[in-house]
């Protein structure tokens, strides 16, 4: 199964082609990851086409599209999800959304893992995972409030935004800071292999967008 993966939930624009093999392994065929707080819309399609060329995969060879549904900022998520939906619709293949924090956790190995990403406004998006999957979240909190929420919880590793992971006083792995192609595909693997029709992909904004119409601002 050949899968196009897209995520724009963090400052790192991620796209690539992954292959789910018969033994359920996820093999990376090509990937582009570019750190850019802005400009997602300008580069995403170009990066996708570069990955397809490098992987030697025609668009018609793709079996599905996986997209990170956040949590993340309104504008960034909209770019990735609209682009992924356009590819899936044009190719008449399934579009599977996954929580972007789940994708980051997929690269973190075993144990109890806390994933945090930058939510701006001095807050973080977060989710806590155990051996059997997500235990809490996704949610948005200040680091101080999150520390209070996690008091008494065992955390083996914290991954995600490198400007925030060190705030919690637990072991970190700075190499795992944003979703990867393999993480996105692994997070969607069970749903893709089930053959069931995907649920509608809904963005995880978790709060209102920063930009609002004037009438709403006055209200």
């Amino acid at each position: 199964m050949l899968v196009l993966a897209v995520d724009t939930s963090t400052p790192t624009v991620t796209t690539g082609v992954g292959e789910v093999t018969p033994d359920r392994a996820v093999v990376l065929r090509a990937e582009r990851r570019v750190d850019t707080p802005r400009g997602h819309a300008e580069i995403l399609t170009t990066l996708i086409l570069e990955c397809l060329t490098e992987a030697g995969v025609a668009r018609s060879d793709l079996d599905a599209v996986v997209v990170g549904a956040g949590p993340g900022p309104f504008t960034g998520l909209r770019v990735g999800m609209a682009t992924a939906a356009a590819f899936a619709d044009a190719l008449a293949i399934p579009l599977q959304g996954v929580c972007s924090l789940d994708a980051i956790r997929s690269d973190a190995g075993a144990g109890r893992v806390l994933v945090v990403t930058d939510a701006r406004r001095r807050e973080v998006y977060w989710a806590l995972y155990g051996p059997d999957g997500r235990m809490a979240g996704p949610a948005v909190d200040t680091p101080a409030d999150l520390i209070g929420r996690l008091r008494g919880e065992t955390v083996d590793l914290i991954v995600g935004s490198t400007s925030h992971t060190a705030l919690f006083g637990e072991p970190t792995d700075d190499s795992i800071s944003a979703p990867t192609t393999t993480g996105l595909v692994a997070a969607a693997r069970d749903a893709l292999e089930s053959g069931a029709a995907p649920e509608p992909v809904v963005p995880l904004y978790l709060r209102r967008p920063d930009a609002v119409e004037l009438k709403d601002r006055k209200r």
Side-chain angles (χ1 to χ4, degrees):
M1 180 186 298
L2 291 171
V3 183
L4 173 66
V6 175
D7 187 276
T8 55
S9 66
T10 74
T12 300
V13 177
T14 298
T15 188
V17 177
E19 180 179 0
V20 181
T21 64
D23 61 356
R24 306 192 79 239
V26 179
V27 177
L28 181 64
R29 296 284 294 269
E31 183 177 60
R32 294 289 185 276
R33 302 178 75 210
V34 178
D35 292 328
T36 172
R38 294 180 173 82
H40 293 49
E42 288 80 359
I43 65 173
L44 181 55
T45 299
T46 299
L47 297 178
I48 291 173
L49 297 178
E50 288 178 359
C51 287
L52 291 172
T53 299
E54 181 180 316
V57 172
R59 295 181 217 188
S60 58
D61 294 331
L62 293 170
D63 298 296
V65 179
V66 171
V67 62
F74 181 82
T75 302
L77 277 185
R78 185 172 56 183
V79 169
M81 296 182 73
T83 303
F87 267 82
D89 185 62
L91 299 171
I93 57 178
L95 173 66
Q96 184 70 52
V98 298
C99 173
S100 300
L101 303 179
D102 292 357
I104 297 174
R105 192 266 177 271
S106 293
D107 290 321
R112 291 168 65 98
V113 178
L114 176 67
V115 179
V116 295
T117 59
D118 187 3
R120 303 175 186 174
R121 303 183 192 175
R122 300 181 180 180
E123 293 178 325
V124 292
Y125 299 119
W126 66 273
L128 178 65
Y129 300 84
D132 297 323
R134 196 189 318 148
M135 301 171 57
V140 58
D141 279 298
T142 66
D145 286 344
L146 179 53
I147 289 171
R149 283 177 178 270
L150 296 175
R151 191 168 290 115
E153 294 280 359
T154 299
V155 177
D156 299 314
L157 184 68
I158 302 179
V159 295
S161 169
T162 55
S163 60
H164 296 91
T165 53
L167 300 176
F168 297 89
E170 302 288 350
T172 65
D173 184 345
D174 290 346
S175 69
I176 305 172
S177 58
T180 63
T181 297
T182 54
L184 289 161
V185 176
R189 178 172 47 202
D190 288 347
L192 292 171
E193 291 182 336
S194 73
E199 295 290 330
V201 179
V202 179
L204 296 170
Y205 293 130
L206 300 190
R207 66 185 182 202
R208 294 178 179 274
D210 292 331
V212 297
E213 294 186 19
L214 183 59
K215 61 182 177 63
D216 293 327
R217 197 177 306 159
K218 288 179 178 179
R219 187 183 303 122

